[in-house]
Each structure stands twice: as structure tokens, then as C-alpha cells.
Amino acid sequence: MPITGGYTINHGDRYAGMVVDSEVNNSVSKLNKSGAVVPWGLFVARDGDDGFAPVDDTTTAPDVIGVLRRELNRAQLDGATSGAPADRDASVLTAGVIYVQTLDAVSAGDDVYAVVGTAVNPAATAGVANNAVGADATLGVKIDGARFKETTTGAGLAAVSLVIGG
């Protein structure tokens, strides 16, 4: 089938869930048990022995298993949420450097929190990263072993170095 729409080899320099560089990294394969598409680049929590779901207001630090790693092995429809389909396996980065979505400006070296979603930070932002400076730390779960690697001026994508048990 011929390509009838636009096609380009000029891609953005970063995408949510994209591994940043060639540093050693580790991913585990888990099943999306959330019942919905989970966007790339979000922190996810353990759901049973073999699954994951987005973080929520019941998530504790030991529940967080990593960041959903961007995969290019599945076609995505235009306008559809780009992420891990429901009831399918996906890769969760447990160690390495990865681009994550951020809620606010962050600074290199800052602690990383996974936003859990509240009235202040709606559930639509659950799983994005933030630091304790940009938002009240009580709105997120501190991810031990994770630090921001770069400074940003606002919400967007930032590199995070992490080592989580998985």
C-alpha cells in the first residue's frame, strides 16, 4: 500500500518514553491491566505479579515499577493516544535515562515525584513527573533512586535518571 499522507525522516529530538542515550538501561515486560491506553513516558505502578496500571491516589513508593518505555512496534491511529494498549504487554524502564512528561519546571539534580492526581492535579496528569518545588510533594510519590538530569523552564519533557527495583 502506498503512503498517501505525509512521511518524514525529520523527527523531534525527544518523545515521552524515549530512552535518552546509550547508557546501560533495563526494562521489564508487563501487561497493561488498566483497561485503557496508557501514554508513553508516565510512571506506572505494579498490578499483580505480571501487570502495571497508572499511578493513582493509593500508590505508594514501593508500588512504582518504572516509566512506560516508548515502543515503535505497534501502529497508532492518527489522533489516538500514543501509548501501551489495554490488555497488551509493554516495556517498563526500571533503570536508565528516559524522557518523562513533567508538570512544571524542574532543575537538574531535583528529586523526582510521580504525580498521583488530585483536585489540584487532575487524574489526567497522574503518572507525570514533578519535583517538590513545582508542586506540593504531598501530591506525588517520591521515587527513590530517580533524579532529573536537566533543567526546564516549564511543563514538557525532561530527562530522568532512575534505578528502581522493577
Side-chain angles (χ1 to χ4, degrees), residues 67-157:
V67 175
L68 199 54
R69 184 175 179 157
R70 184 177 181 85
E71 296 177 336
L72 301 175
N73 57 354
R74 292 188 178 98
Q76 306 272 262
L77 297 173
D78 286 342
T81 300
S82 181
D87 304 318
R88 299 283 176 93
D89 62 305
S91 297
V92 178
L93 188 90
T94 61
V97 183
I98 190 166
Y99 289 115
V100 298
Q101 299 174 33
T102 63
L103 188 62
D104 291 309
V106 298
S107 296
D110 282 352
D111 289 333
V112 177
Y113 289 77
V115 175
V116 297
T118 67
V120 176
N121 295 318
T125 61
V128 301
N130 209 41
N131 59 12
V133 176
D136 185 342
T138 62
L139 302 177
V141 175
K142 183 178 178 192
I143 309 300
D144 291 328
R147 293 269 190 265
F148 285 102
K149 285 197 67 167
E150 61 186 353
T151 300
T152 66
T153 57
L157 296 176

Side-chain angles (χ1 to χ4, degrees), residues 17-42:
M18 183 175 94
V19 174
V20 174
D21 53 27
S22 297
E23 289 184 47
V24 174
N25 62 73
N26 183 68
S27 296
V28 294
S29 182
K30 297 288 184 179
L31 184 66
N32 179 358
K33 293 185 174 182
S34 71
V37 174
V38 178
W40 308 127
L42 295 183

